[in-house]
Amino acid sequence: MLTSELKSKIDKVWLAFHSGGLTNPLQVIEQITYLLFIKRLDELQFQKEQLASLTETPIEKPIYEEYEYHLRWSKVKELSPEKIFELFTRQPDGVFQFMKNYGSKSASFNKFMKGATFMIPTPRLLTQVIEMLEDIPMEDQDTKGNVYEYLLSKIQSSGTNGQFRTPRHIIKMMVELMQPSPTDIICDPSVGSCGFLLGAVDYLRTHYQTELYKTETQKHFQNQMFLGMEFDPTMIRIGAMNMILHGIENPQLLDVDSLSEENSNFTNKATLILANPPFKGSLDYDAVDDSILQIVKSKKTELLFLGLMIRGLQKGGRCAVIVPDGVLFGSSNAHKNIRKELVENQILEAVISMPSGVFKPYAGVSTAVLVFTKTDNGGTDKVWFYDMQSDGFSLDDKRNPIEENDIPDIIERYHNRKEESETQRAKTEKSFVVDKKEIADNGYDLSINRYKEIVYEKVIYQTPTEIISQINALDKERGILLEELKKLL
């Protein structure tokens, strides 16, 4: 968690941006990300210099040549506000231009930086932001992630702005459920700031540290493993920089509308999909690729993305995706057909119901995580359900940490769900399994309330005669006390 002091500094910088005339939240985050990226480039150069010193060899692939050292963060931050601002904005050899030109060293990054614009309006504001970023330990991934989440949490104005933000602990839960491996091709077709991809990066670095030292594995890790699509040019710039900040030099990020014909090549590509696609959107049929409409005939984005994911997975590929509750029980033909597709033609592994407060403060919608495997020839036998009641935070707008947290139990029970199937856990528990036939008989309804059994506690009430007797006794006592009060007066 961020300290209150650092939150306060971020808040002050946020207000300073507004005072300076920069009020678009995404643009504010973009400008801060540029500076984080510039700071990180200097740190990477320093690491290369240390390695060269230890091995007594020349610096391998230096980020800065000696004649560019005056553009490094560590040098610039020591200057006066006016000089810093002049050095950042100078054309064609200033700090910001250097960052844009760095894109030529990364093919995927280069194309997204063409539209990058430095928008910080004053030397004072630029100095404020630099001072704030100096307090962020960039080598600490958790702190850096928390800073990003805190920045993103300020975007509450509309659904389209909020669609890309998934709480980091929910991302971590989904990644640990799916347990990505070094051979996977991991995709998020609504990638936003690359939160899910970075969650997978952290998991792989934690669990496959030795494997990632191998040349072929590292080549795959850097160039083919991470795939994402995003149509918002600002968000894909933020996502690309975010990936490079985390050491992924060449992520495969595509600036396309995932559901359009332009993305038709995304077929049988990924071995793992982790995603939280947009809710409540609506598209005309002619804006959607025909191959998706063949899977699910709908205008609703939450259903269309499920069709896209089925198409985009390789056979045997796995998916964990967040969907609004309406997907689980919606009565339209499209809703029923996509659920039937998952149950009858693929393997639906799990439905994890999440409480509505998970996405507060900017959205109160109830959601669930669907986990399935693509087979195109069925295989669903039993579906594992879990009724999450707490995610470790209060379910109000404040989202303060609390002790109650079902997530560790969800992860453990998911990976042991076959045992639950064999023991036939009662449907009164938080988790249980449901036979495919029962789901089919219920019109492929996947809402947990359809199958969970409620245990009612027997309450014995007093008889009316006893209650009347107690009322009379109280009334008599009241009368006596009233007479005593009259005497005292």
Side-chain angles (χ1 to χ4, degrees):
M1 299 295 292
L2 293 181
T3 64
S4 57
E5 182 183 1
L6 187 51
K7 282 185 178 180
S8 176
K9 287 190 176 184
I10 295 172
D11 291 341
K12 287 179 182 177
V13 170
W14 196 270
L15 290 173
F17 270 111
H18 279 249
S19 299
L22 199 62
T23 58
N24 184 313
L26 277 181
Q27 289 179 343
V28 173
I29 292 173
E30 185 179 25
Q31 298 303 306
I32 293 174
T33 305
Y34 291 152
L35 298 182
L36 281 171
F37 190 74
I38 292 166
K39 184 173 188 280
R40 183 59 177 160
L41 289 179
D42 187 32
E43 291 174 347
L44 291 174
Q45 172 78 10
F46 181 68
Q47 290 172 11
K48 289 175 181 286
E49 290 169 348
Q50 284 186 312
L51 180 61
S53 177
L54 288 171
T55 59
E56 298 182 348
T57 59
I59 300 174
E60 184 178 352
K61 296 181 180 179
I63 294 170
Y64 295 88
E65 301 295 344
E66 284 192 31
Y67 67 87
E68 297 170 320
Y69 278 9
H70 66 291
L71 302 176
R72 294 175 62 170
W73 178 277
S74 55
K75 302 290 185 182
V76 173
K77 70 176 184 177
E78 303 297 335
L79 303 174
S80 67
E82 290 73 20
K83 184 60 178 176
I84 292 174
F85 191 76
E86 187 272 330
L87 205 53
F88 259 83
T89 56
R90 192 167 69 194
Q91 295 288 346
D93 56 351
V95 175
F96 189 75
Q97 195 62 38
F98 175 86
M99 184 204 70
K100 288 183 67 174
N101 292 339
Y102 177 80
S104 62
K105 301 177 183 179
S106 172
S108 63
F109 180 54
N110 186 33
K111 60 182 177 182
F112 305 131
M113 294 306 295
K114 291 177 182 177
T117 305
F118 186 74
M119 301 178 69
I120 297 178
T122 64
R124 181 175 178 274
L125 177 56
L126 177 58
T127 305
Q128 273 187 284
V129 182
I130 288 174
E131 288 174 354
M132 179 198 77
L133 296 183
E134 274 297 290
D135 287 341
I136 301 174
M138 293 293 287
E139 69 280 358
D140 184 341
Q141 302 293 356
D142 285 339
T143 302
K144 186 159 50 181
N146 285 332
V147 169
Y148 249 87
E149 182 166 349
Y150 187 65
L151 287 169
L152 295 174
S153 71
K154 292 177 172 293
I155 302 176
Q156 304 171 17
S157 56
S158 70
T160 53
N161 278 343
Q163 69 192 34
F164 58 82
R165 180 181 179 262
T166 307
R168 290 178 66 244
H169 64 290
I170 299 298
I171 290 175
K172 186 176 181 181
M173 177 191 78
M174 292 169 65
V175 170
E176 293 194 11
L177 289 174
M178 305 313 289
Q179 295 181 330
S181 76
T183 58
D184 272 318
I185 297 172
I186 305 168
C187 176
D188 181 352
S190 53
V191 76
S193 59
C194 293
F196 279 104
L197 298 186
L198 290 171
V201 168
D202 290 343
Y203 181 91
L204 289 162
R205 284 180 171 152
T206 300
H207 293 84
Y208 294 96
Q209 190 174 24
T210 302
E211 182 72 18
L212 290 176
Y213 283 125
K214 296 179 181 178
T215 303
E216 284 304 310
T217 304
Q218 186 62 212
K219 183 179 178 182
H220 176 66
F221 184 74
Q222 290 290 346
N223 297 288
Q224 290 92 34
M225 180 176 284
F226 302 105
L227 174 63
M229 301 102 189
E230 176 62 51
F231 69 90
D232 186 307
T234 301
M235 280 313 306
I236 202 163
R237 271 198 297 275
I238 291 174
M241 286 188 287
N242 209 1
M243 291 294 282
I244 294 175
L245 282 169
H246 286 76
I248 308 302
E249 293 294 334
N250 192 31
Q252 300 305 299
L253 302 180
L254 307 176
D255 51 341
V256 297
D257 181 342
S258 296
L259 300 172
S260 69
E261 187 178 351
E262 191 179 1
N263 194 35
S264 60
N265 286 336
F266 183 56
T267 303
N268 301 322
K269 284 279 185 70
T271 63
L272 175 60
I273 289 178
L274 297 160
N276 178 16
F279 300 166
K280 307 301 182 186
S282 182
L283 297 173
D284 292 332
Y285 289 138
D286 57 8
V288 181
D289 187 68
D290 286 341
S291 62
I292 298 175
L293 293 174
Q294 289 173 13
I295 299 172
V296 53
K297 184 80 169 179
S298 177
K299 295 183 178 181
K300 292 184 175 293
T301 54
E302 60 264 37
L303 302 182
L304 293 169
F305 267 97
L306 285 173
L308 170 71
M309 292 171 194
I310 293 170
R311 189 194 73 184
L313 283 170
Q314 297 179 21
K315 282 192 178 181
R318 302 166 300 136
C319 176
V321 55
I322 297 174
V323 297
D325 266 6
V327 171
L328 306 181
F329 56 77
S331 58
S332 73
N333 288 334
H335 282 88
K336 292 178 181 177
N337 289 339
I338 195 65
R339 296 196 299 264
K340 182 177 181 180
E341 169 71 25
L342 292 173
V343 173
E344 296 291 351
N345 297 332
Q346 318 302 333
I347 299 177
L348 181 60
E349 309 275 5
V351 180
I352 301 167
S353 175
M354 297 194 292
S356 59
V358 166
F359 287 93
K360 284 186 176 180
Y362 58 83
V365 62
S366 294
T367 57
V369 178
L370 295 181
V371 181
F372 66 89
T373 300
K374 178 178 176 177
T375 63
D376 283 343
N377 60 7
T380 302
D381 179 25
K382 297 177 185 292
V383 179
W384 184 76
F385 285 79
Y386 195 104
D387 185 14
M388 180 199 290
Q389 295 170 10
S390 177
D391 66 340
F393 296 87
S394 62
L395 296 175
D396 54 17
D397 286 353
K398 293 182 179 180
R399 296 291 279 154
N400 293 320
I402 60 174
E403 289 186 12
E404 293 78 14
N405 186 1
D406 289 329
I407 289 179
D409 188 53
I410 290 171
I411 294 168
E412 181 181 356
R413 289 189 178 280
Y414 174 81
H415 291 302
N416 293 284
R417 62 191 183 282
K418 289 183 180 178
E419 294 178 12
E420 292 201 1
S421 178
E422 292 169 0
T423 57
Q424 283 296 313
R425 240 163 97 87
K427 292 179 182 177
T428 54
E429 303 285 350
K430 283 186 179 180
S431 65
F432 52 86
V433 296
V434 179
D435 289 336
K436 171 189 164 183
K437 183 180 184 304
E438 185 177 354
I439 293 174
D441 289 345
N442 278 286
Y444 300 98
D445 191 319
L446 298 176
S447 55
I448 195 165
N449 291 334
R450 172 70 70 170
Y451 306 102
K452 188 169 184 178
E453 297 173 359
I454 306 298
V455 177
Y456 295 98
E457 183 180 350
K458 186 176 181 180
V459 179
I460 299 176
Y461 295 100
Q462 293 175 305
T463 65
T465 303
E466 290 172 322
I467 294 172
I468 291 172
S469 177
Q470 290 176 9
I471 293 173
N472 287 333
L474 289 170
D475 194 46
K476 184 178 179 182
E477 183 181 357
R478 180 191 63 78
I480 293 171
L481 292 172
L482 182 61
E483 289 300 321
E484 290 181 357
L485 181 60
K486 287 179 179 179
K487 289 176 182 179
L488 289 172
L489 295 174

